[in-house]
Amino acid sequence: MYEVYALKYAERDTTACQFFYREASHAPITLHYYVWLIKGGPHPILVDTGFLDDDARERGMRNYVSPAAMVERAGVKPGDVPLALITHLHYDHWAGHSLFPNAEYWIQRDEVAFWTGPFGRYQAFRQSANPGALARLVTLNYANRVRIVEGDRQVFPGVSVHRVGGHTAGLQIVTVQTERGTVVLTSDASHFYRNVETRQPVQIVTSLPEMLAAFETIQALAGAQRLIVAGHDPEVADRFKPVEPGIIRIA
Ligand SMILES: [Zn+2]
């Protein structure tokens, strides 16, 4: 059976009005930054790659540690990760890809098209991008390291990706069948539990209807066990089981 871990590698403070859609409150909020690790299959699977220390410095992160170090602490050498599912191409999910030099990256076609297309030039989207990391999509693709997928795909029996869009053009979420039930790794389809549980969008969006539909998809996929892992919520450590600082066992 599969085991799923959330690995926290950074933190950042902001305010609710900077983050939630049409939110007036200036209340402070803290985002936690994670990659997720799936063990117990034919080989380990990483979900997202985090970022490097350049983004950590430039974007005012606290308590940054390399995502590769966290993966190693969870028992997997970064060079032994043959597959990384990339939920979307924002800097905090893609800019750390070089830390995993033997991985093939699975990315939705709509996501690749968006970040190499006509809207990258606008500040509204560029602020979420690491252009150098996005440029390497091309060389990695020609090196046979990128698999462009469309829609819902099974990775192994019991592990699947599901395209939901909304927050980004080709955002995909991940489901894993475990002993406890279906784990749903929402990534940024629900940054906080508040998003999916109150149907409150975030400000960074390519399609508001798709974002709202994604909340329904998350809850339908999770079923009665509700093993939902929000993408940036410190509360993940309260709802699941921290096994050591920064390492949370989901199932
Ligand atoms: Zn994110």
Side-chain angles (χ1 to χ4, degrees):
M1 273 306 239
Y2 297 108
E3 297 168 21
V4 184
Y5 296 86
L7 309 176
K8 181 180 72 94
Y9 66 89
E11 303 174 14
R12 185 171 66 87
D13 300 320
T14 183
T15 57
C17 58
Q18 290 277 316
F19 193 76
F20 293 104
Y21 188 77
R22 293 186 178 171
E23 168 64 56
S25 164
H26 294 266
I29 57 171
T30 297
L31 282 84
H32 282 188
Y33 291 76
Y34 303 96
V35 296
W36 300 272
L37 184 65
I38 303 166
K39 294 165 70 173
H43 59 66
I45 301 172
L46 186 66
V47 178
D48 290 336
T49 63
F51 50 75
L52 306 179
D53 47 11
D54 58 339
D55 276 309
R57 267 195 317 275
E58 288 161 23
R59 296 175 186 268
M61 298 288 168
R62 290 194 283 112
N63 297 327
Y64 173 78
V65 291
S66 166
M70 294 306 297
V71 168
E72 185 137 22
R73 277 177 52 195
V76 175
K77 290 200 169 58
D80 293 343
V81 174
L83 173 59
L85 308 174
I86 304 301
T87 63
H88 61 304
L89 290 170
H90 280 169
Y91 76 96
D92 54 321
H93 301 260
W94 171 243
H97 62 266
S98 61
L99 298 170
F100 306 96
N102 297 311
E104 178 180 83
Y105 308 104
W106 287 30
I107 314 171
Q108 288 283 326
R109 187 174 85 156
D110 292 343
E111 190 70 9
V112 175
F114 185 90
W115 293 104
T116 52
F119 295 103
R121 63 193 297 230
Y122 297 102
Q123 179 61 18
F125 289 113
R126 197 176 57 205
Q127 65 185 4
S128 304
N130 181 314
L134 290 169
R136 285 189 288 278
L137 279 170
V138 175
T139 47
L140 287 165
N141 189 27
Y142 281 87
N144 202 22
R145 298 263 315 274
V146 176
R147 189 178 305 196
I148 297 177
V149 299
E150 287 188 71
D152 294 4
R153 285 282 295 271
Q154 181 177 276
V155 182
F156 289 143
V159 180
S160 295
V161 297
H162 311 260
R163 183 205 170 280
V164 294
H167 172 63
T168 65
L171 178 66
Q172 58 185 350
I173 65 177
V174 180
T175 53
V176 187
Q177 307 304 324
T178 72
E179 274 171 2
R180 295 187 59 205
T182 303
V183 170
V184 182
L185 301 175
T186 74
S187 181
D188 292 1
S190 187
H191 294 74
F192 289 86
Y193 285 103
R194 170 173 164 182
N195 296 117
V196 65
E197 290 174 0
T198 72
R199 306 299 200 253
Q200 185 175 16
V202 294
Q203 290 183 14
I204 301 169
V205 60
T206 56
S207 165
L208 199 48
E210 279 192 339
M211 185 178 286
L212 295 167
F215 296 147
E216 308 300 328
T217 302
I218 290 165
Q219 295 218 301
L221 289 169
Q225 290 87 19
R226 299 179 144 271
L227 300 174
I228 294 169
V229 183
H232 286 275
D233 199 332
E235 205 177 307
V236 172
D238 304 323
R239 296 197 183 199
F240 297 96
K241 189 171 168 247
V243 291
E244 58 175 285
I247 299 181
I248 303 157
R249 179 156 179 182
I250 307 299

